[in-house]
């Protein structure tokens, strides 16, 4: 028994008769046992509903996003307690005070931002004028108003190195974070799942740490990457499909239940983020911008910019495709695959596009202008695969968008960019692979983050694949369904050798499944 409890009991028993003492001890024992039982069960019940906590909290922690060598966004959502209420985590209005420091030195003035219902009670601060390759700490205070502030969550992050600095670094790429499959949602259609995933619905995760969320997040945290990339399918509006999320309230609920998991909170307090969206966190499976159903394309875009720290709140003109110079040796391109696309059902040809003309011209222009030793295009969907023959929504699909893919690959070779250590990294597909197109372009698939959302892949030569002739080479393809992530490590040039880029496929627990190393010419 704790010493402070012993002292309290001793003080209470002074001056009480023996019979009364016995009654007092018995009553207190029953009370303490009940408290202990409540305490031990509190974590196990998570993420199920609990008794509502009316206190103002930051129940989803803190998130840093869209780093450059001189800037970052930091956001906090104010919530009613930190437990789900009817599958959701309600928000509350208030203010968040952000203070940025480098070591013991505060950087500029603190910034106080209102958490308004308009933006789902998310307060987002914008920090500019930072120094490249520098570690910062962002502390927060939260309250109903500026007169009732209390300590909030804290984040640490390092800015990008930019075009002038070259340091060793690593980052991770993920997809397929399906909350319903991991936790077990009995509303999932079993037959539909089998058709779409080539396997029966796996059993939900049953480990004693289930309440903490996805095990791979803890693995990533231990690796201390410079940043985390979510390539899309970050939440699933359409799992379950009946009922699926359609209204703003229902769409927001998907993000709330996802990001309030303790392992997300711990990870994002230490690792900043970049985000893309794909079909499941845009509208529906393989969805485009056609169809009179909810969410509309306008609402889908609004949710992306509201929930994810990609741009300042209220910046309606922001382009969701963008490029970032990570270091002297490395530049990344994030493409937008949903907002600008043609209808999936349109015949494939010169007019059909996923990217849109403006994005394509921007992509080609910035690739040619870059002098980075390694160039990586991070796409929400695959460009090489192979993928399932039945689909028509990505660059690998027959009747989909192969014409645009082939045209772009031709340009990569004609322009010389293909020979400048250019690689594609993709999400979307629920299995890990490394594929080489007949044109020589290479693609690295991250695979699904969690076991419960993984599936067997399509191999070159499979008649049910987009490559029935087997023209694609695959140095690696995951043989057994398993969750995990793609880790990318950059080792700059030294006196003894050239710069190297390593692609490492991890399972959920950090066991390396395969490794591919590229050397800068």
């Amino acid at each position: 028994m704790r010493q402070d409890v012993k002292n309290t009991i001793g003080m209470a028993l002074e001056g009480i008769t023996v019979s009364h003492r016995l009654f007092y001890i018995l009553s207190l024992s029953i009370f303490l046992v009940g408290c202990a039982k409540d305490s031990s069960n509190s974590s196990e019940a998570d993420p199920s509903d609990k008794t509502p906590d009316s206190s103002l909290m930051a129940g989803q922690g803190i998130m840093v996003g869209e780093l450059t060598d001189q800037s970052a966004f930091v956001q906090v959502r104010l919530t009613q307690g930190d437990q789900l209420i009817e599958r959701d985590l309600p928000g509350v209005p208030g203010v968040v005070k952000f203070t940025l420091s480098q070591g013991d030195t505060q950087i500029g003035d603190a910034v106080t931002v209102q958490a308004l219902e308009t933006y789902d009670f998310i307060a987002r601060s914008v920090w500019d004028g930072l120094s490249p390759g520098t570690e910062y700490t962002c502390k927060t205070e939260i309250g109903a108003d500026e007169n009732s502030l209390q300590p909030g969550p804290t984040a640490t992050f390092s800015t990008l190195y930019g075009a002038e600095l070259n340091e060793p670094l690593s980052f991770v790429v993920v997809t397929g974070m399906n909350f319903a499959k991991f936790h077990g949602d009995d509303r999932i259609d079993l037959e539909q799942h089998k058709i779409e995933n080539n396997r029966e619905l796996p059993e939900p995760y049953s480990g004693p740490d289930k309440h903490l969320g996805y095990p791979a997040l803890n693995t990533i945290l231990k690796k201390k990457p410079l940043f985390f990339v979510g390539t899309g399918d970050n939440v699933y509006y359409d799992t379950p499909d009946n009922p699926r999320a359609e209204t703003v309230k229902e769409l927001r609920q998907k993000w709330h239940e996802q990001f309030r998991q303790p392992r997300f909170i711990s990870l994002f307090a230490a690792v900043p983020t970049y985000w893309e969206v794909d079909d499941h966190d845009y509208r529906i499976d393989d969805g485009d911008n056609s169809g009179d159903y909810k969410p509309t394309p306008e609402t889908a875009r609004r949710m992306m910019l509201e929930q994810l720290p990609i741009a300042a709140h209220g910046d309606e003109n922001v382009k969701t495709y963008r490029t970032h110079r990570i270091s002297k040796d490395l530049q990344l391109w994030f493409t937008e695959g949903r907002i600008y696309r043609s209808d999936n059902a349109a015949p494939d040809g010169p007019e059909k596009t996923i990217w849109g003309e403006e994005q394509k011209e921007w992509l080609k222009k910035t690739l040619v202008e870059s002098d980075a030793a390694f160039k990586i295009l991070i796409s929400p969907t695959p460009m090489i695969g192979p993928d399932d023959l039945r689909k028509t929504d990505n660059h690998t699909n027959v009747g989909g968008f192969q014409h645009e893919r082939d045209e772009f690959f031709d340009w990569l070779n004609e322009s010389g960019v293909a020979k400048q250590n250019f690689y594609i990294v993709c999400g979307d597909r629920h299995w890990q692979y490394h594929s080489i197109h007949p044109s020589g372009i290479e693609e690295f698939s991250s695979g699904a983050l969690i076991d419960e959302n993984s599936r067997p892949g399509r191999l070159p030569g499979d008649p049910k694949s987009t490559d029935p002739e087997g023209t694609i080479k695959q140095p690696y393809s995951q043989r057994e369904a398993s969750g995990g992530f793609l880790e990318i490590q950059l080792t700059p040039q030294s006196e003894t050798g050239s710069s190297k880029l390593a692609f490492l496929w991890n399972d959920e627990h950090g066991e390396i499944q395969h490794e591919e190393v590229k050397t800068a010419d």
Side-chain angles (χ1 to χ4, degrees):
M1 184 181 291
R2 286 170 36 192
Q3 188 61 45
D4 57 344
V5 176
K6 287 182 178 180
N7 293 339
T8 300
I9 293 173
M11 293 173 61
L13 293 179
E14 288 182 6
I16 301 179
T17 66
V18 173
S19 61
H20 283 85
R21 286 189 185 189
L22 291 174
F23 176 79
Y24 184 93
I25 292 173
L26 179 61
S27 300
L28 184 60
S29 298
I30 293 173
F31 172 77
L32 291 174
V33 168
C35 290
K37 182 177 180 180
D38 288 344
S39 176
S40 65
N41 286 341
S42 60
S43 61
E44 294 176 1
D46 201 351
S48 301
D49 299 343
K50 292 190 175 182
T51 302
D53 183 348
S54 60
S55 59
L56 181 147
M57 300 180 70
Q60 295 172 211
I62 188 170
M63 187 188 296
V64 181
E66 211 63 21
L67 291 174
T68 73
D69 59 343
Q70 298 180 35
S71 63
F73 296 107
V74 186
Q75 72 179 38
V76 170
R77 180 172 182 264
L78 296 187
T79 61
Q80 179 184 331
D82 61 358
Q83 304 300 326
L84 297 181
I85 302 171
E86 296 181 355
R87 298 179 184 264
D88 202 357
L89 182 58
V92 293
V95 297
V96 181
K97 182 178 180 181
F98 298 87
T99 304
L100 194 68
S101 61
Q102 179 187 344
D104 296 328
T105 304
Q106 181 172 323
I107 305 299
D109 297 328
V111 176
T112 300
V113 181
Q114 286 188 302
L116 303 172
E117 194 280 333
T118 303
Y119 299 115
D120 194 26
F121 309 105
I122 296 171
R124 184 175 299 160
S125 63
V126 183
W127 298 96
D128 294 308
L130 308 181
S131 300
T134 302
E135 182 175 293
Y136 292 93
T137 299
C138 186
K139 295 183 178 180
T140 66
E141 298 172 81
I142 61 176
D145 52 46
E146 293 189 58
N147 297 317
S148 59
L149 294 175
Q150 57 184 318
T154 296
T156 58
F157 65 92
S158 293
T159 48
L160 301 182
Y161 296 109
E164 303 300 322
L165 300 178
N166 230 10
E167 297 290 340
L169 63 90
S170 69
F171 63 98
V172 299
V173 182
V174 311
T175 192
M177 298 181 282
N178 196 309
F179 182 94
K181 289 185 183 180
F182 179 85
H183 287 288
D185 191 321
D186 59 12
R187 299 173 298 173
I188 297 175
D189 187 311
L190 301 182
E191 288 302 316
Q192 179 182 355
H193 181 276
K194 187 174 181 179
I195 293 171
E196 295 176 353
N197 294 275
N198 293 354
R199 68 181 301 195
E200 303 284 351
L201 178 67
E203 291 295 318
Y205 185 73
S206 59
D209 57 344
K210 181 176 181 176
H211 62 285
L212 299 176
Y214 314 137
L217 299 179
N218 189 49
T219 303
I220 293 171
L221 179 60
K222 290 178 180 178
K223 287 180 172 290
K224 299 181 179 179
L226 182 62
F227 53 85
F228 168 106
V229 180
T231 61
D233 299 342
N234 305 298
V235 298
Y236 281 68
Y237 293 155
D238 54 353
T239 304
D241 186 60
N242 185 21
R244 62 180 174 85
E246 297 180 311
T247 67
V248 168
K249 176 179 173 59
E250 291 166 347
L251 301 174
R252 286 171 168 173
Q253 177 268 333
K254 295 287 187 174
W255 298 97
H256 301 164
E257 68 180 3
Q258 185 78 291
F259 288 151
R260 54 83 52 197
Q261 294 180 95
R263 281 181 173 143
F264 267 123
I265 293 172
S266 297
L267 178 65
F268 292 155
V271 179
T273 63
Y274 296 93
W275 299 96
E276 298 173 316
V277 298
D278 195 21
D279 49 350
H280 295 288
D281 47 358
Y282 185 64
R283 299 186 75 192
I284 60 170
D285 184 30
D286 292 350
D288 54 24
N289 296 300
S290 66
D292 184 19
Y293 61 85
K294 295 181 179 179
T296 64
E298 293 75 20
T299 298
R301 183 178 186 273
R302 172 190 165 191
M303 288 298 98
M304 175 187 185
L305 298 177
E306 173 187 274
Q307 295 295 322
L308 302 170
I310 295 172
H313 275 152
D315 184 355
E316 300 300 328
N317 298 317
V318 65
K319 301 295 185 184
T320 51
Y321 56 86
R322 64 269 194 210
T323 182
H324 288 296
R325 188 64 176 258
I326 308 303
S327 69
K328 183 177 180 181
D329 274 351
L330 179 63
Q331 186 164 345
L332 303 184
W333 282 259
F334 298 89
T335 52
E336 171 55 58
R338 293 291 155 184
I339 293 175
Y340 309 110
R341 70 166 49 215
S342 306
D343 292 354
N344 295 343
D348 198 7
E351 303 302 317
K352 191 174 184 181
T353 177
I354 284 180
W355 291 334
E357 289 304 316
E358 181 179 308
Q359 181 175 190
K360 273 193 285 191
E361 290 306 311
W362 162 85
L363 181 58
K364 293 176 181 179
K365 179 177 183 293
T366 52
L367 281 169
V368 168
E369 291 174 344
S370 174
D371 63 354
F374 295 102
K375 302 174 176 64
I376 299 179
L377 186 159
I378 300 182
S379 171
T381 51
M383 300 192 73
I384 299 175
D387 195 6
D388 294 317
L389 182 61
R390 64 177 176 81
K391 291 164 57 67
T392 58
D393 90 311
N394 64 54
H395 283 115
T396 75
N397 297 145
V398 178
F401 298 82
Q402 286 187 343
H403 186 278
E404 182 173 59
R405 184 272 309 274
D406 294 343
E407 183 182 63
F408 179 62
F409 282 9
D410 288 344
W411 176 86
L412 287 171
N413 281 303
E414 292 167 3
S415 66
V417 171
K419 303 300 182 183
Q420 298 172 0
N421 303 297
F422 170 85
Y423 305 105
I424 298 169
V425 169
C426 74
D428 184 52
R429 297 298 75 209
H430 297 215
W431 63 95
Q432 301 174 347
Y433 65 77
H434 171 204
S435 291
I436 304 174
H437 190 264
S439 65
I441 308 301
E442 299 184 48
E443 178 172 83
F444 304 82
S445 169
S446 70
L449 183 74
I450 61 173
D451 280 354
E452 296 74 20
N453 200 33
S454 64
R455 54 158 281 194
R458 291 294 183 191
L459 298 176
D462 183 340
K464 293 184 178 181
S465 80
T466 53
D467 182 35
E469 302 299 322
T471 62
I472 295 171
K473 296 179 181 178
Q474 275 199 332
Y476 167 64
S477 183
Q478 197 173 33
R479 291 295 182 256
E480 295 183 5
S482 171
F485 56 92
L486 179 61
E487 178 185 5
I488 301 176
Q489 297 177 348
L490 173 67
T491 304
Q493 181 178 5
S494 65
E495 295 179 0
T496 59
S498 302
S499 299
K500 294 183 178 181
L501 194 68
F503 297 85
L504 300 96
W505 286 268
N506 291 249
D507 70 7
E508 286 186 321
H509 306 290
E511 293 293 327
I512 304 300
Q513 308 300 297
H514 186 74
E515 179 177 356
E516 186 75 25
V517 179
K518 302 294 184 180
T519 302
D521 299 331

